[in-house]
C-alpha cells in the first residue's frame, strides 16, 4: 500500500455524507470534493475544475507516461451553470503497475460516492476494482464505471467513474 493509498483510506470514514448532494448545482460547487478525496483542483471557473493528474505508479509505461488519476467537475458545453458530470479518470499507461493505480481509483471512488450520493452503491467498488463497466442509479444521480482499451501497442487503458444528473 502506498502512502497516498493509505492516506486516502484513512480519510474514508470522515468523508461519508448521509444525504448526498443534489445534482442541480453548478459544476464549480462540486470542486471542493477533489480536495476531500485527495485530488485537489487547481483553478476553479464557472464551468468547473480539474485536478492535476496524480502520478499513480512509480514507473512509466512503454509510451513514457506513468499511470495517472484525476478528478473533474465540468459543465455542459455552452451552459456553464449546468453540471455535465463529476468524474475520476484513471489512465493506465503502465499495465504492469495497474493494480497499484487501480487501488487508488477504488479508494477515491468510494470517497467520492460517499460525498456525492451519501452512500456507495452495491457493486460500484467491485466494478471499479475489476475495471468492469457498470451503471447504477442513486437518488438524483446516474453512476457509471467505463473501461476503454487503448491500442494494443501501448497495452494501456482508461477507467472512468462518472456521476451525472439522472434525467
Amino acid at each position: 500500500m502506498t502512502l497516498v493509498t493509505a492516506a486516502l483510506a484513512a480519510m474514508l470514514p470522515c468523508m461519508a455524507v448521509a444525504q448526498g448532494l443534489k445534482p442541480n448545482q453548478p459544476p464549480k460547487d462540486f470542486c471542493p470534493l477533489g480536495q476531500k478525496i485527495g485530488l485537489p483542483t487547481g483553478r476553479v471557473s464557472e464551468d468547473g475544475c480539474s485536478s492535476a493528474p496524480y502520478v499513480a505508479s512509480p514507473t512509466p509505461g512503454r509510451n513514457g507516461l506513468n499511470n495517472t488519476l484525476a478528478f473533474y467537475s465540468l459543465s455542459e458545453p455552452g451552459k456553464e451553470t449546468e453540471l455535465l458530470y463529476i468524474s475520476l479518470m484513471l489512465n493506465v499507461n503502465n499495465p504492469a503497475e495497474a493494480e497499484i493505480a487501480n487501488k487508488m481509483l477504488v479508494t477515491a471512488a468510494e470517497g467520492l460516492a460517499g460525498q456525492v450520493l451519501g452512500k456507495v452503491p452495491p457493486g460500484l467498488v467491485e466494478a471499479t476494482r475489476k475495471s468492469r463497466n457498470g451503471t447504477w442509479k442513486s437518488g438524483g444521480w446516474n453512476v457509471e464505471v467505463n473501461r476503454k482499451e487503448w491500442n494494443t501497442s501501448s497495452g494501456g487503458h482508461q477507467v472512468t467513474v462518472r456521476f451525472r444528473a439522472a434525467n
Side-chain angles (χ1 to χ4, degrees), residues 56-119:
S57 66
T59 311
R62 286 184 281 194
N63 61 5
L65 301 172
N66 291 73
N67 297 337
T68 59
L69 177 62
F71 167 86
Y72 299 89
S73 176
L74 301 173
S75 69
E76 290 280 353
K79 300 177 182 177
E80 293 179 340
T81 60
E82 292 183 35
L83 180 69
L84 178 60
Y85 58 74
I86 303 166
S87 72
L88 295 167
M89 186 178 297
L90 175 66
N91 289 318
V92 176
N93 295 295
N94 182 350
E97 295 179 356
E99 186 176 340
I100 297 167
N102 203 52
K103 285 180 182 178
M104 296 175 106
L105 174 62
V106 168
T107 302
E110 279 184 288
L112 190 56
Q115 290 291 316
V116 173
L117 308 173
K119 62 182 178 179

